[in-house]
Protein backbone atom coordinates (compact mmCIF):
# COMPACT_ATOMS: atom_id res chain seq x y z
CA UNK A 1 0.00 0.00 0.00
CA UNK A 2 1.13 3.55 -0.71
CA UNK A 3 -1.62 5.13 1.38
CA UNK A 4 0.87 6.85 3.70
CA UNK A 5 3.68 7.40 1.20
CA UNK A 6 5.65 10.63 1.72
CA UNK A 7 8.61 10.35 -0.65
CA UNK A 8 8.65 8.99 -4.18
CA UNK A 9 12.27 9.00 -5.30
CA UNK A 10 13.91 9.04 -8.72
CA UNK A 11 13.01 6.09 -10.98
CA UNK A 12 11.08 4.47 -8.10
CA UNK A 13 8.68 2.50 -10.33
CA UNK A 14 10.61 2.63 -13.60
CA UNK A 15 9.31 0.01 -16.06
CA UNK A 16 7.09 -1.49 -13.36
CA UNK A 17 4.43 -3.43 -15.25
CA UNK A 18 2.56 -4.44 -12.09
CA UNK A 19 1.27 -0.95 -11.34
CA UNK A 20 -2.44 -0.53 -12.04
CA UNK A 21 -3.77 1.64 -14.84
CA UNK A 22 -5.15 4.12 -12.31
CA UNK A 23 -2.88 4.33 -9.27
CA UNK A 24 -4.01 6.62 -6.46
CA UNK A 25 -1.57 9.16 -5.07
CA UNK A 26 -2.18 10.03 -1.40
CA UNK A 27 -2.27 13.51 0.07
CA UNK A 28 0.64 12.56 2.30
CA UNK A 29 3.16 12.84 -0.54
CA UNK A 30 5.77 15.50 0.13
CA UNK A 31 8.26 14.81 -2.63
CA UNK A 32 8.13 13.32 -6.11
CA UNK A 33 11.51 12.84 -7.74
CA UNK A 34 12.62 12.53 -11.34
CA UNK A 35 10.95 9.92 -13.55
CA UNK A 36 9.39 7.73 -10.83
CA UNK A 37 6.97 6.21 -13.38
CA UNK A 38 9.15 6.34 -16.46
CA UNK A 39 8.04 3.87 -19.16
CA UNK A 40 5.03 2.75 -17.13
CA UNK A 41 3.01 3.08 -20.29
CA UNK A 42 0.06 1.18 -18.90
CA UNK A 43 -0.85 4.12 -16.65
CA UNK A 44 -3.79 6.04 -18.02
CA UNK A 45 -4.81 8.07 -15.00
CA UNK A 46 -3.59 9.18 -11.60
CA UNK A 47 -6.25 9.51 -8.95
CA UNK A 48 -6.22 11.60 -5.83
CA UNK A 49 -5.63 15.17 -4.81
CA UNK A 50 -2.19 16.34 -3.73
CA UNK A 51 -2.45 18.93 -1.00
CA UNK A 52 -0.37 21.88 -2.22
CA UNK A 53 0.88 19.62 -4.99
CA UNK A 54 1.75 22.53 -7.24
CA UNK A 55 2.50 25.13 -4.64
CA UNK A 56 5.53 26.25 -2.70
CA UNK A 57 4.42 27.92 0.48
CA UNK A 58 6.32 30.50 2.49
CA UNK A 59 9.60 29.93 0.73
CA UNK A 60 9.88 26.25 1.70
CA UNK A 61 9.55 23.33 -0.68
CA UNK A 62 6.64 21.49 0.91
CA UNK A 63 5.70 19.46 -2.13
CA UNK A 64 8.05 19.27 -5.08
CA UNK A 65 7.36 17.59 -8.41
CA UNK A 66 10.51 17.29 -10.47
CA UNK A 67 10.65 17.59 -14.27
CA UNK A 68 9.64 14.48 -16.22
CA UNK A 69 8.06 12.87 -13.16
CA UNK A 70 5.26 11.38 -15.25
CA UNK A 71 7.05 10.87 -18.53
CA UNK A 72 5.06 9.06 -21.23
CA UNK A 73 1.76 8.93 -19.36
CA UNK A 74 -1.66 10.10 -20.49
CA UNK A 75 -4.09 11.03 -17.75
CA UNK A 76 -6.43 13.62 -16.23
CA UNK A 77 -5.22 14.88 -12.87
CA UNK A 78 -6.80 16.90 -10.08
CA UNK A 79 -5.30 19.25 -7.58
CA UNK A 80 -7.07 21.41 -5.08
CA UNK A 81 -6.64 24.25 -7.58
CA UNK A 82 -8.62 22.76 -10.43
CA UNK A 83 -8.92 19.95 -12.94
CA UNK A 84 -6.20 19.31 -15.49
CA UNK A 85 -6.90 17.02 -18.45
CA UNK A 86 -3.51 16.49 -20.05
CA UNK A 87 -2.26 15.37 -23.37
CA UNK A 88 1.19 13.77 -23.38
CA UNK A 89 2.52 15.12 -20.12
CA UNK A 90 6.27 15.41 -19.83
CA UNK A 91 6.41 16.81 -16.34
CA UNK A 92 6.21 19.93 -14.32
CA UNK A 93 7.75 23.11 -15.60
CA UNK A 94 8.34 25.62 -12.86
CA UNK A 95 10.82 27.16 -10.50
CA UNK A 96 11.21 26.71 -6.80
CA UNK A 97 11.43 29.52 -4.30
CA UNK A 98 14.79 30.05 -2.67
CA UNK A 99 15.10 29.02 0.95
CA UNK A 100 14.94 32.07 3.22
CA UNK A 101 18.14 33.24 4.85
CA UNK A 102 18.73 32.24 8.44
CA UNK A 103 16.53 34.30 10.70
CA UNK A 104 14.54 35.70 7.77
CA UNK A 105 10.78 35.23 7.69
CA UNK A 106 9.65 33.48 4.49
CA UNK A 107 6.77 35.13 2.67
CA UNK A 108 6.50 34.05 -0.97
CA UNK A 109 3.74 31.90 -2.40
CA UNK A 110 4.63 30.57 -5.83
CA UNK A 111 2.34 28.71 -8.18
CA UNK A 112 3.86 26.25 -10.62
CA UNK A 113 1.75 24.08 -12.89
CA UNK A 114 2.23 21.88 -15.93
CA UNK A 115 1.53 21.85 -19.66
CA UNK A 116 -1.84 20.41 -20.59
CA UNK A 117 -5.50 21.38 -20.85
CA UNK A 118 -6.93 23.28 -17.92
CA UNK A 119 -10.67 22.86 -18.03
CA UNK A 120 -11.43 24.88 -14.91
CA UNK A 121 -9.52 27.30 -12.75
CA UNK A 122 -9.82 27.94 -9.03
CA UNK A 123 -7.66 30.83 -7.92
CA UNK A 124 -5.10 29.50 -5.43
CA UNK A 125 -4.35 32.93 -3.94
CA UNK A 126 -0.76 32.74 -5.12
CA UNK A 127 1.45 35.76 -5.28
CA UNK A 128 3.77 34.64 -8.09
CA UNK A 129 3.04 32.51 -11.13
CA UNK A 130 6.29 30.63 -11.59
CA UNK A 131 8.71 30.30 -14.47
CA UNK A 132 7.11 28.36 -17.37
CA UNK A 133 4.18 27.50 -15.08
CA UNK A 134 1.57 27.26 -17.85
CA UNK A 135 3.87 27.03 -20.83
CA UNK A 136 2.10 25.21 -23.64
CA UNK A 137 -1.12 24.79 -21.68
CA UNK A 138 -4.62 25.05 -23.10
CA UNK A 139 -6.63 27.22 -20.74
CA UNK A 140 -10.40 27.03 -21.17
CA UNK A 141 -13.00 29.58 -20.16
CA UNK A 142 -14.51 32.88 -21.27
CA UNK A 143 -13.57 34.65 -18.04
CA UNK A 144 -10.33 33.81 -16.26
CA UNK A 145 -9.15 35.61 -13.13
CA UNK A 146 -5.77 35.59 -11.44
CA UNK A 147 -6.92 38.08 -8.83
CA UNK A 148 -4.24 37.97 -6.11
CA UNK A 149 -1.27 37.40 -8.45
CA UNK A 150 1.30 40.21 -8.48
CA UNK A 151 4.10 38.70 -10.59
CA UNK A 152 4.10 36.67 -13.80
CA UNK A 153 7.51 35.06 -14.10
CA UNK A 154 9.61 34.30 -17.19
CA UNK A 155 7.71 32.35 -19.88
CA UNK A 156 4.85 31.64 -17.45
CA UNK A 157 2.26 31.54 -20.26
CA UNK A 158 4.57 31.06 -23.23
CA UNK A 159 2.72 29.32 -26.08
CA UNK A 160 -0.38 28.92 -23.89
CA UNK A 161 -3.68 28.77 -25.76
CA UNK A 162 -6.75 30.65 -24.55
CA UNK A 163 -10.31 30.62 -25.88
CA UNK A 164 -11.12 33.22 -28.52
CA UNK A 165 -12.58 36.38 -26.95
CA UNK A 166 -11.67 35.16 -23.46
CA UNK A 167 -11.28 37.94 -20.91
CA UNK A 168 -8.25 37.44 -18.68
CA UNK A 169 -8.11 39.50 -15.50
CA UNK A 170 -4.78 40.18 -13.81
CA UNK A 171 -5.65 43.49 -12.23
CA UNK A 172 -3.18 43.10 -9.36
CA UNK A 173 -0.22 42.11 -11.50
CA UNK A 174 2.64 44.58 -11.22
CA UNK A 175 5.27 42.79 -13.27
CA UNK A 176 5.12 40.58 -16.37
CA UNK A 177 8.61 39.25 -16.90
CA UNK A 178 10.47 38.37 -20.11
CA UNK A 179 8.53 36.10 -22.49
CA UNK A 180 5.62 36.00 -20.02
CA UNK A 181 2.98 35.58 -22.76
CA UNK A 182 5.32 34.93 -25.69
CA UNK A 183 3.38 33.18 -28.45
CA UNK A 184 0.17 32.96 -26.42
CA UNK A 185 -2.68 32.23 -28.79
CA UNK A 186 -6.25 33.33 -29.51
CA UNK A 187 -7.79 36.78 -29.81
CA UNK A 188 -8.26 37.14 -26.07
CA UNK A 189 -8.24 40.33 -23.98
CA UNK A 190 -5.91 40.87 -21.04
CA UNK A 191 -6.51 43.40 -18.29
CA UNK A 192 -3.30 44.02 -16.35
CA UNK A 193 -4.17 47.61 -15.60
CA UNK A 194 -1.74 47.98 -12.68
CA UNK A 195 1.24 46.45 -14.46
CA UNK A 196 4.14 48.89 -14.63
CA UNK A 197 6.93 46.60 -15.84
CA UNK A 198 6.66 44.57 -19.07
CA UNK A 199 9.69 42.43 -19.82
CA UNK A 200 11.60 41.67 -23.02
CA UNK A 201 9.33 40.04 -25.62
CA UNK A 202 6.69 39.57 -22.94
CA UNK A 203 3.90 39.53 -25.57
CA UNK A 204 5.92 38.90 -28.74
CA UNK A 205 4.10 36.73 -31.30
CA UNK A 206 1.00 36.92 -29.09
CA UNK A 207 -2.47 36.80 -30.65
CA UNK A 208 -4.26 38.95 -28.05
CA UNK A 209 -6.44 41.66 -29.56
CA UNK A 210 -6.45 43.95 -26.53
CA UNK A 211 -3.88 44.40 -23.77
CA UNK A 212 -4.33 46.95 -20.99
CA UNK A 213 -1.38 47.86 -18.80
CA UNK A 214 -0.93 50.59 -16.21
CA UNK A 215 -4.09 52.53 -17.00
CA UNK A 216 -3.28 54.50 -13.84
CA UNK A 217 0.12 55.05 -12.27
CA UNK A 218 0.73 52.72 -9.33
CA UNK A 219 1.55 54.57 -6.09
CA UNK A 220 4.60 53.44 -4.20
CA UNK A 221 3.65 52.61 -0.62
CA UNK A 222 4.82 50.17 2.00
CA UNK A 223 1.77 48.03 1.21
CA UNK A 224 3.14 47.31 -2.25
CA UNK A 225 5.92 45.14 -0.84
CA UNK A 226 5.51 42.28 -3.38
CA UNK A 227 6.15 44.57 -6.31
CA UNK A 228 8.67 46.63 -4.41
CA UNK A 229 10.79 43.55 -3.83
CA UNK A 230 11.19 43.11 -7.57
CA UNK A 231 12.46 46.64 -8.21
CA UNK A 232 16.18 47.07 -8.74
CA UNK A 233 18.14 48.06 -5.66
CA UNK A 234 19.47 51.12 -7.48
CA UNK A 235 15.96 52.46 -8.14
CA UNK A 236 15.44 56.09 -7.25
CA UNK A 237 12.07 55.36 -5.66
CA UNK A 238 11.81 56.51 -2.05
CA UNK A 239 9.10 56.66 0.56
CA UNK A 240 7.78 60.10 1.31
CA UNK A 241 5.10 61.39 3.64
CA UNK A 242 4.92 64.69 1.80
CA UNK A 243 4.19 63.53 -1.72
CA UNK A 244 3.08 60.38 -3.48
CA UNK A 245 5.80 58.51 -5.37
CA UNK A 246 4.94 56.30 -8.33
CA UNK A 247 6.65 53.27 -9.74
CA UNK A 248 8.42 54.06 -13.03
CA UNK A 249 6.61 52.51 -15.99
CA UNK A 250 8.95 50.41 -18.14
CA UNK A 251 8.25 48.46 -21.33
CA UNK A 252 11.31 46.48 -22.38
CA UNK A 253 12.63 45.72 -25.87
CA UNK A 254 10.41 43.91 -28.38
CA UNK A 255 7.64 43.55 -25.78
CA UNK A 256 4.84 43.48 -28.39
CA UNK A 257 6.79 42.39 -31.45
CA UNK A 258 4.68 40.64 -34.11
CA UNK A 259 1.43 40.95 -32.15
CA UNK A 260 -0.65 40.31 -35.24
CA UNK A 261 -4.00 40.56 -33.47
CA UNK A 262 -3.33 43.83 -31.64
CA UNK A 263 -5.35 46.66 -33.19
CA UNK A 264 -4.81 49.60 -30.86
CA UNK A 265 -2.86 50.33 -27.74
CA UNK A 266 -2.77 53.23 -25.29
CA UNK A 267 0.67 53.63 -23.81
CA UNK A 268 0.56 54.38 -20.06
CA UNK A 269 1.25 57.77 -18.53
CA UNK A 270 4.65 57.83 -16.87
CA UNK A 271 6.37 55.87 -19.64
CA UNK A 272 9.53 57.72 -20.66
CA UNK A 273 10.80 55.63 -23.54
CA UNK A 274 9.35 53.36 -26.18
CA UNK A 275 12.11 50.78 -26.36
CA UNK A 276 13.79 49.18 -29.34
CA UNK A 277 11.43 47.05 -31.41
CA UNK A 278 8.55 47.41 -28.94
CA UNK A 279 5.78 47.04 -31.55
CA UNK A 280 7.82 45.90 -34.53
CA UNK A 281 5.68 43.96 -37.02
CA UNK A 282 2.47 44.29 -35.01
CA UNK A 283 -0.94 44.96 -36.54
CA UNK A 284 -1.54 48.26 -34.74
CA UNK A 285 -3.70 50.73 -36.63
CA UNK A 286 -3.22 53.61 -34.19
CA UNK A 287 -1.10 54.53 -31.20
CA UNK A 288 -1.42 57.24 -28.55
CA UNK A 289 1.92 58.39 -27.17
CA UNK A 290 1.72 60.13 -23.76
CA UNK A 291 3.50 63.39 -23.04
CA UNK A 292 5.89 61.60 -20.70
CA UNK A 293 7.55 59.79 -23.63
CA UNK A 294 10.62 61.67 -24.86
CA UNK A 295 12.43 58.92 -26.74
CA UNK A 296 11.44 56.27 -29.31
CA UNK A 297 13.99 53.52 -29.86
CA UNK A 298 15.13 52.03 -33.13
CA UNK A 299 12.65 49.79 -34.94
CA UNK A 300 9.98 50.58 -32.33
CA UNK A 301 7.20 50.53 -34.94
CA UNK A 302 9.17 49.09 -37.85
CA UNK A 303 6.94 47.28 -40.36
CA UNK A 304 3.68 48.08 -38.56
CA UNK A 305 2.05 48.07 -41.96
CA UNK A 306 -1.42 49.05 -40.72
CA UNK A 307 -0.32 51.98 -38.55
CA UNK A 308 -1.91 55.16 -39.90
CA UNK A 309 -2.16 57.31 -36.75
CA UNK A 310 0.48 58.11 -34.13
CA UNK A 311 -0.74 60.78 -31.74
CA UNK A 312 1.69 62.61 -29.46
CA UNK A 313 4.86 62.61 -31.57
CA UNK A 314 5.08 66.36 -31.04
CA UNK A 315 6.47 65.67 -27.51
CA UNK A 316 9.23 63.26 -28.56
CA UNK A 317 12.86 64.45 -28.59
CA UNK A 318 14.70 61.52 -30.17
CA UNK A 319 13.53 59.01 -32.78
CA UNK A 320 15.76 56.01 -33.53
CA UNK A 321 16.80 54.28 -36.73
CA UNK A 322 13.96 52.55 -38.61
CA UNK A 323 11.55 53.63 -35.83
CA UNK A 324 8.52 54.05 -38.15
CA UNK A 325 9.88 52.50 -41.34
CA UNK A 326 7.20 50.71 -43.32
CA UNK A 327 4.21 52.28 -41.55
CA UNK A 328 1.36 54.15 -43.26
CA UNK A 329 1.57 57.51 -41.48
CA UNK A 330 0.40 60.47 -43.58
CA UNK A 331 1.60 63.32 -41.41
CA UNK A 332 4.31 64.03 -38.87
CA UNK A 333 4.81 66.74 -36.23
CA UNK A 334 8.33 67.17 -34.82
CA UNK A 335 8.90 68.54 -31.32
CA UNK A 336 10.58 71.90 -30.84
CA UNK A 337 12.94 70.07 -28.44
CA UNK A 338 13.84 67.32 -30.89
CA UNK A 339 17.57 66.63 -31.15
CA UNK A 340 17.83 63.64 -33.49
CA UNK A 341 15.95 61.54 -36.03
CA UNK A 342 17.73 58.35 -37.05
CA UNK A 343 18.54 56.77 -40.36
CA UNK A 344 15.60 55.24 -42.23
CA UNK A 345 13.34 56.41 -39.36
CA UNK A 346 10.51 57.10 -41.84
CA UNK A 347 11.68 55.05 -44.81
CA UNK A 348 8.86 53.81 -47.04
CA UNK A 349 6.33 55.94 -45.14
CA UNK A 350 3.87 57.80 -47.44
CA UNK A 351 4.05 61.14 -45.62
CA UNK A 352 2.32 64.02 -47.38
CA UNK A 353 3.28 66.66 -44.83
CA UNK A 354 5.96 67.13 -42.19
CA UNK A 355 5.71 69.95 -39.67
CA UNK A 356 8.80 70.74 -37.66
CA UNK A 357 8.90 73.09 -34.65
CA UNK A 358 12.69 72.99 -34.38
CA UNK A 359 14.16 76.51 -34.56
CA UNK A 360 17.79 75.41 -34.92
CA UNK A 361 17.65 72.41 -37.28
CA UNK A 362 20.00 69.46 -36.76
CA UNK A 363 21.28 67.32 -39.60
CA UNK A 364 19.37 64.26 -40.71
CA UNK A 365 20.31 61.54 -43.16
CA UNK A 366 19.26 61.55 -46.79
CA UNK A 367 17.55 58.22 -46.05
CA UNK A 368 15.58 59.39 -43.01
CA UNK A 369 12.64 59.95 -45.36
CA UNK A 370 12.01 58.23 -48.66
CA UNK A 371 12.89 59.93 -51.93
CA UNK A 372 9.17 60.39 -52.70
CA UNK A 373 8.69 62.36 -49.47
CA UNK A 374 11.64 64.65 -50.18
CA UNK A 375 10.21 65.21 -53.64
CA UNK A 376 6.49 65.61 -52.97
CA UNK A 377 5.68 66.18 -49.28
CA UNK A 378 5.20 69.64 -47.79
CA UNK A 379 7.71 70.63 -45.10
CA UNK A 380 6.34 73.27 -42.71
CA UNK A 381 9.03 75.15 -40.77
CA UNK A 382 8.93 77.85 -38.04
CA UNK A 383 9.05 81.55 -38.87
CA UNK A 384 12.50 82.98 -39.39
CA UNK A 385 14.20 79.62 -40.06
CA UNK A 386 14.16 79.40 -43.85
CA UNK A 387 17.88 80.10 -44.32
CA UNK A 388 18.79 77.64 -41.57
CA UNK A 389 16.76 74.80 -43.12
CA UNK A 390 18.04 75.54 -46.61
CA UNK A 391 21.57 75.24 -45.25
CA UNK A 392 21.08 72.06 -43.19
CA UNK A 393 21.46 68.56 -44.55
CA UNK A 394 19.14 66.81 -45.46
CA UNK A 395 16.25 69.17 -44.71
CA UNK A 396 17.39 71.07 -47.73
CA UNK A 397 16.46 68.07 -49.91
CA UNK A 398 12.75 68.88 -49.48
CA UNK A 399 11.45 70.43 -52.69
CA UNK A 400 8.38 71.98 -51.07
CA UNK A 401 9.37 74.05 -47.98
CA UNK A 402 6.56 76.19 -46.60
CA UNK A 403 6.97 79.04 -44.11
CA UNK A 404 10.21 80.12 -42.50
CA UNK A 405 9.96 83.76 -43.57
CA UNK A 406 10.91 86.51 -41.15
CA UNK A 407 7.90 88.09 -39.45
Amino acid sequence: SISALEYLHDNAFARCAKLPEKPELPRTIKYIGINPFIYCTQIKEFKGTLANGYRIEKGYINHTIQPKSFYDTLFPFETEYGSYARDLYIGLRGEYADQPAEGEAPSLQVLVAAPGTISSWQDPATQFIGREAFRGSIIKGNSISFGPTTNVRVSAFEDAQFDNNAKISMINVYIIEDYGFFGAGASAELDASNCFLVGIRAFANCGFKKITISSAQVPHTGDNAPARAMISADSDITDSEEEVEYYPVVIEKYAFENCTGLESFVLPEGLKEISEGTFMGSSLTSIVIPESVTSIGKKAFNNCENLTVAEGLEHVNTIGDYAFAGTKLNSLVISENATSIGEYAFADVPLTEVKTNVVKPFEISDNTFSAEVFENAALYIPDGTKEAYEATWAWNMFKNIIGGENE
Side-chain angles (χ1 to χ4, degrees):
S1 171
I2 60 171
S3 60
L5 186 67
E6 292 186 358
Y7 298 93
L8 193 58
H9 291 287
D10 298 355
N11 302 310
F13 292 97
R15 302 182 186 276
C16 183
K18 293 184 178 182
L19 286 175
E21 289 187 359
K22 298 181 179 181
E24 184 167 348
L25 300 177
R27 290 176 64 88
T28 54
I29 286 182
K30 294 181 179 179
Y31 176 84
I32 299 178
I34 298 174
N35 299 333
F37 300 99
I38 190 169
Y39 302 127
C40 296
T41 55
Q42 77 276 18
I43 296 177
K44 303 302 180 186
E45 180 178 335
F46 283 91
K47 293 183 177 181
T49 299
L50 298 183
N52 298 323
Y54 290 96
R55 183 171 171 185
I56 302 165
E57 269 190 324
K58 300 181 178 177
Y60 292 101
I61 302 175
N62 290 339
H63 301 274
T64 304
I65 299 179
Q66 295 284 0
K68 296 188 178 179
S69 291
F70 301 108
Y71 183 77
D72 271 353
T73 62
L74 183 66
F75 61 96
F77 190 57
E78 261 189 26
T79 76
E80 61 186 21
Y81 304 138
S83 298
Y84 298 74
R86 312 224 196 282
D87 297 322
L88 182 62
Y89 174 53
I90 59 171
L92 176 70
R93 292 189 175 103
E95 64 177 17
Y96 308 130
D98 294 333
Q99 296 287 354
E102 185 175 352
E104 183 178 305
S107 60
L108 299 184
Q109 291 180 327
V110 180
L111 173 68
V112 290
T117 299
I118 300 171
S119 55
S120 64
W121 176 256
Q122 298 173 8
D123 198 323
T126 49
Q127 179 177 306
F128 289 3
I129 295 179
R131 183 186 298 266
E132 298 187 353
F134 293 96
R135 184 176 181 179
S137 294
I138 298 172
I139 302 175
K140 298 290 187 180
N142 294 324
S143 181
I144 304 167
S145 175
F146 295 84
T149 303
T150 60
N151 295 75
V152 174
R153 305 305 299 271
V154 174
S155 297
F157 292 91
E158 183 173 341
D159 293 328
Q161 299 297 311
F162 295 85
D163 285 346
N164 282 328
N165 300 315
K167 296 185 184 300
I168 307 162
S169 176
M170 290 186 167
I171 57 173
N172 289 310
V173 164
Y174 296 118
I175 296 168
I176 299 174
E177 295 187 12
D178 300 351
Y179 297 88
F181 286 87
F182 181 92
S187 56
E189 298 182 11
L190 173 68
D191 182 0
S193 51
N194 281 308
C195 180
F196 56 80
L197 176 57
V198 179
I200 295 171
R201 289 191 165 91
F203 292 92
N205 299 339
C206 178
F208 291 176
K209 64 181 179 181
K210 183 178 181 180
I211 301 169
T212 303
I213 64 167
S214 201
S215 56
Q217 287 184 285
V218 179
H220 171 264
T221 70
D223 294 332
N224 279 338
R228 188 177 181 184
M230 299 297 293
I231 298 297
S232 166
D234 60 0
S235 170
D236 59 1
I237 299 174
T238 57
D239 290 313
S240 173
E241 296 180 357
E242 298 179 358
E243 59 180 340
V244 177
E245 298 284 345
Y246 294 94
Y247 286 106
V249 181
V250 176
I251 299 176
E252 298 281 10
K253 295 179 181 179
Y254 300 97
F256 302 95
E257 178 190 13
N258 292 330
C259 283
T260 55
L262 196 61
E263 297 175 355
S264 64
F265 192 90
V266 179
L267 290 163
E269 289 292 340
L271 183 68
K272 295 182 179 180
E273 177 186 12
I274 300 176
S275 301
E276 176 182 335
T278 296
F279 293 98
M280 188 172 73
S282 77
S283 57
L284 281 174
T285 59
S286 64
I287 189 72
V288 177
I289 300 171
E291 291 187 23
S292 56
V293 172
T294 58
S295 177
I296 296 178
K298 63 181 181 180
K299 300 182 180 180
F301 297 91
N302 187 24
N303 287 333
C304 291
E305 296 178 353
N306 298 322
L307 184 63
T308 59
V309 177
E311 297 182 16
L313 280 173
E314 63 271 20
H315 307 295
V316 176
N317 298 338
T318 62
I319 299 174
D321 298 347
Y322 293 92
F324 289 89
T327 64
K328 295 295 187 291
L329 299 181
N330 291 314
S331 61
L332 170 65
V333 179
I334 300 172
S335 167
E336 62 181 336
N337 296 315
T339 57
S340 68
I341 302 175
E343 293 191 3
Y344 300 99
F346 295 92
D348 297 320
V349 179
L351 292 166
T352 58
E353 61 178 40
V354 177
K355 180 180 179 180
T356 172
N357 295 304
V358 178
V359 175
K360 295 182 179 180
F362 49 87
E363 289 190 356
I364 60 174
S365 172
D366 59 2
N367 55 32
T368 296
F369 302 97
S370 65
E372 292 77 11
V373 171
F374 283 121
E375 184 70 27
N376 301 314
L379 174 64
Y380 295 88
I381 61 176
D383 291 338
T385 62
K386 186 174 183 178
E387 290 184 4
Y389 274 89
E390 288 178 343
T392 304
W393 187 259
W395 298 106
N396 54 12
M397 291 180 61
F398 276 90
K399 302 297 185 184
N400 185 17
I401 299 178
I402 300 173
E405 304 294 343
N406 293 324
E407 293 182 351

